[in-house]
Amino acid sequence: RKEVEQDPGPFNVPEGATVAFNCTYSNSASQSFFWYRQDCRKEPKLLMSVYSSGNEDGRFTAQLNRASQYISLLIRDSKLSDSATYLCVVNGGSGNTGKLIFGQGTTLQVKP
Amino acid sequence: ETGVTQSPTHLIKTRGQQVTLRCSSQSGHNTVSWYQQALGQGPQFIFQYYREEENGRGNFPPRFSGLQFPNYSSELNVNALELDDSALYLCASSQESGTVRTDTQYFGPGTRLTVL
């Protein structure tokens, strides 16, 4: 079983749609959670950290469910520029400083 | 831009050769982590350097080695290259202290290595 699992997609949605991505992780000791965005042939860029209480940044909302070891990202009012791969990321768990574990990524394609 | 730089941007090598990739961390960051990203996959942790010492290693063989310099820049060395080493190599910088871990890492543009 992969340590971080995501549906690779692709998700093809029209502009203005709401889309949700989900991710599960296997290490219950993980302490930090993130969503990164990666454009084709570019480096991953931090989109947002994910907190237990849930957090929102403009059109993006991230939520964490520690009991189910589940992370989600909701994008409202999709823009063409949101087309990218979204990477779910967790840290390596207690005692494993600095190791970020990435999911395979979910590809989003927003169409006009 | 994150301020993390990597060189070279692209590299072509043949099997059995050795390669050195370089990374300069963001100003004020003391920690560098290296990742390998194969096509269609998420990045995989190779190792991390903090205060010039290896501080955690992923599931990579010893022919993957690294260094960190006093100015916090870092090198990744790969010996005896194999075809499967073809990938995007990413470095990420962060600010860590003895007791505080930020976990927030900022990535450089990567070096695309092709092994023929």
Side-chain angles (χ1 to χ4, degrees):
Chain A
R1 183 187 170 192
K2 291 182 182 176
E3 291 180 271
V4 178
E5 295 212 51
Q6 294 181 252
D7 178 351
F11 285 59
N12 295 302
V13 303
E15 266 187 296
T18 295
V19 62
F21 305 139
N22 303 315
C23 160
T24 57
Y25 61 95
S26 61
N27 188 348
S28 59
S30 296
Q31 298 294 319
S32 305
F33 309 88
F34 309 91
W35 284 99
Y36 277 75
R37 171 196 167 127
Q38 187 171 28
D39 293 291
C40 187
R41 303 182 74 81
K42 299 283 191 180
E43 73 274 22
K45 292 186 178 175
L46 180 64
L47 181 65
M48 57 199 304
S49 301
V50 187
Y51 305 112
S52 295
S53 54
N55 48 302
E56 189 173 308
D57 182 3
R59 298 181 293 108
F60 299 84
T61 300
Q63 293 211 302
L64 167 66
N65 183 322
R66 284 187 186 270
S68 302
Q69 295 178 207
Y70 173 96
I71 306 162
S72 65
L73 176 68
L74 184 77
I75 305 176
R76 290 181 298 278
D77 188 23
S78 299
K79 311 289 185 194
L80 295 176
S81 57
D82 293 334
S83 298
T85 296
Y86 291 83
L87 296 160
C88 175
V89 187
V90 307
N91 80 328
S94 59
N96 208 337
T97 306
K99 175 182 178 180
L100 294 183
I101 302 170
F102 286 76
Q104 181 183 358
T106 299
T107 300
L108 172 65
Q109 188 69 37
V110 181
K111 308 265 188 204
Chain B
E1 297 300 325
T2 62
V4 181
T5 61
Q6 291 185 245
S7 63
T9 53
H10 296 82
L11 204 51
I12 299 175
K13 292 284 189 179
T14 56
R15 273 185 303 175
Q17 284 190 309
Q18 178 266 342
V19 69
T20 297
L21 310 182
R22 295 178 176 83
C23 172
S24 291
S25 59
Q26 185 179 114
S27 177
H29 284 183
N30 60 6
T31 301
V32 173
S33 304
W34 286 92
Y35 294 82
Q36 179 196 67
Q37 186 174 24
L39 201 60
Q41 302 299 315
Q44 283 200 311
F45 178 76
I46 303 174
F47 42 54
Q48 184 185 77
Y49 278 84
Y50 170 63
R51 291 185 175 177
E52 302 178 52
E53 291 192 0
E54 189 178 288
N55 181 42
R57 188 178 182 94
N59 189 24
F60 280 82
R63 61 188 184 85
F64 285 78
S65 63
L67 284 173
Q68 187 179 33
F69 301 100
N71 66 354
Y72 305 127
S73 67
S74 177
E75 285 183 357
L76 164 65
N77 299 289
V78 187
N79 293 323
L81 283 167
E82 300 176 1
L83 296 180
D84 285 349
D85 295 335
S86 295
L88 178 67
Y89 287 85
L90 296 158
C91 84
S93 79
S94 55
Q95 177 61 24
E96 313 288 339
S97 72
T99 55
V100 177
R101 288 172 42 225
T102 66
D103 282 336
T104 302
Q105 298 182 10
Y106 297 92
F107 284 83
T111 294
R112 193 164 297 279
L113 173 65
T114 302
V115 182
L116 302 176

